[in-house]
Amino acid sequence: MAVHKLMIDDFDSVDYSLIAIHSSLEDYRLAYFINRELEIRLEKCPNDISFIQKESKAYFSRYLFEDEENDVAWNLIQNKNSIVSAPENAQSSLFSGGEYRVTTSVFFLPELKRVDYILKVDNEETEENVIRALLAVKYIATAYKIDHNKLKSKNNLIF
């Protein structure tokens, strides 16, 4: 009887590209300008991406367009967000005025703290054209490709 071995490298293929976007726009406005420039239809997902970070739940907005004709999925994901939490051992004093809250910044991909949004494109072959089109949007400061191999938190991209 023959023994068949499956190597984990056989399943470790990257079939998506990641593009970092630096922009000060709100997520819905950025999605509008990307839709207009790339001629796609990103729509707000009803369920945001959520993680437990720093003992609080962090939510990141997600816009999705599935192009079934070309078999391409587009995901625009917010990379920066803030969570508000109350410290556990907060003691109120005479001058504190009650409870206070602490605001903490959290990141979808912590290695890329300066990136505002991530564009994940599944099964797209021409990422240079996508980056060129993104740079044509006047509200995007810069856009560039992200190397998958340098990411430690690539499991966050599984949704």
Side-chain angles (χ1 to χ4, degrees):
M1 182 165 150
V3 176
H4 296 285
K5 290 184 181 179
L6 293 177
M7 303 302 287
I8 194 73
D9 294 337
D10 295 340
F11 300 105
D12 190 26
S13 66
V14 177
D15 60 345
Y16 61 88
S17 8
L18 293 175
I19 300 171
I21 298 175
H22 294 261
S23 177
S24 60
L25 286 177
E26 293 291 327
D27 54 359
Y28 63 93
R29 291 200 44 160
L30 182 63
Y32 168 77
F33 287 115
I34 290 174
N35 284 343
R36 199 171 72 178
E37 192 63 39
L38 293 174
E39 297 177 358
I40 60 175
R41 293 184 304 274
L42 289 168
E43 295 178 355
K44 177 94 167 104
C45 280
N47 300 326
D48 291 338
I49 300 171
S50 62
F51 294 113
I52 302 289
Q53 289 186 355
K54 299 183 181 180
E55 299 169 1
S56 294
K57 201 162 201 177
Y59 294 95
F60 300 95
S61 65
R62 176 181 171 210
Y63 288 78
L64 173 67
F65 171 59
E66 293 179 345
D67 185 4
E68 295 174 4
E69 183 178 306
N70 296 322
D71 193 32
V72 178
W74 301 76
N75 288 283
L76 178 66
I77 307 151
Q78 179 184 22
N79 191 43
K80 294 181 182 179
N81 206 351
S82 299
I83 54 174
V84 179
S85 59
E88 292 178 11
N89 57 0
Q91 297 177 0
S92 58
S93 66
L94 178 63
F95 302 107
S96 68
E99 289 187 24
Y100 63 93
R101 304 236 180 244
V102 176
T103 304
T104 310
S105 294
V106 291
F107 301 93
F108 181 70
L109 295 177
E111 301 90 351
L112 305 170
K113 292 185 178 184
R114 295 181 183 240
V115 175
D116 298 313
Y117 297 95
I118 308 289
L119 184 64
K120 179 184 174 190
V121 185
D122 295 331
N123 300 331
E124 178 63 31
E125 303 292 327
T126 58
E127 64 190 25
E128 291 83 20
N129 293 339
V130 173
I131 293 172
R132 195 173 308 116
L134 289 173
L135 292 173
V137 176
K138 68 179 180 178
Y139 300 105
I140 294 178
T142 188
Y144 51 89
K145 180 183 175 186
I146 300 171
D147 187 11
H148 304 284
N149 300 323
K150 295 182 181 178
L151 292 178
K152 293 179 184 175
S153 59
K154 59 177 99 173
N155 287 340
N156 293 355
L157 295 166
I158 302 171
F159 43 82

